[in-house]
Amino acid sequence: MAGEIPDLIALERTGTGKGAARQARRDGLVPGIVYGDDKEPLPINIKFNELLKRLKAGRFLSTLFNLKVEGHDDVRVICRGVQRDVVKDLPTHVDFMRLHRNSRINLFIPVEIIGEEAAPGIKKGGVVTHVRTDVELIVTAADIPEKITLDITGGNIGDVYHISDVKLPEGVKPVIDRDFVIANIAAPAGLGAVDDDEEEATEEAAAEE
């Protein structure tokens, strides 16, 4: 399972309709709704500052949250829509969907690279370039991997690693349907310049002969 699913704290919204929503916004709250999993929709309010911070952090629509509402059991949710003010571009309403254990969702999962200390290319001064530090995967809500691992043991300078080089957990697959690059082993800085200098010196020597 994923190491830590962030908590998202909300309040149950007692009033309904536009009047209650406007009052919530005046109180520094953003109205929302939680639906799905064959249960009744639950109207909620979330603190405006907390929601804005989450939105600015990025990938809000692909982050799994543990929603905590007083008087209700905690539930895993994923955001399915954020309405914004057309002028200020600030959130005015948010929709969350409850997730069943078997629900399939898209999440960004971190990539861990191992085997650097054993890679010949690294021993020669090569540098690992992390093209993607995380990958968007289709996963099951009940079985979310904490990370995926790329092993570069045996890697040499110039080697390029793709998603196909990562052994994904059973039932997990990338959202992108192509063999995209995860990382590579690049030559150390200045190596190209040294090579060019040596080549130039060789050519000059040949010319003198």
Side-chain angles (χ1 to χ4, degrees), residues 16-34:
T16 57
K18 293 183 178 179
R22 282 195 295 266
Q23 183 59 51
R25 296 184 188 107
R26 284 194 292 267
D27 294 338
L29 303 170
V30 178
I33 193 76
V34 183

Side-chain angles (χ1 to χ4, degrees), residues 5-27:
I5 299 173
D7 287 338
L8 187 63
I9 300 174
L11 304 170
E12 183 173 3
R13 178 160 42 95
T14 55
T16 57
K18 293 183 178 179
R22 282 195 295 266
Q23 183 59 51
R25 296 184 188 107
R26 284 194 292 267
D27 294 338

Side-chain angles (χ1 to χ4, degrees), residues 196-207:
D196 291 342
D197 290 342
E198 290 178 351
E199 182 178 347
E200 184 177 342
T202 301
E203 290 176 352
E204 290 177 353

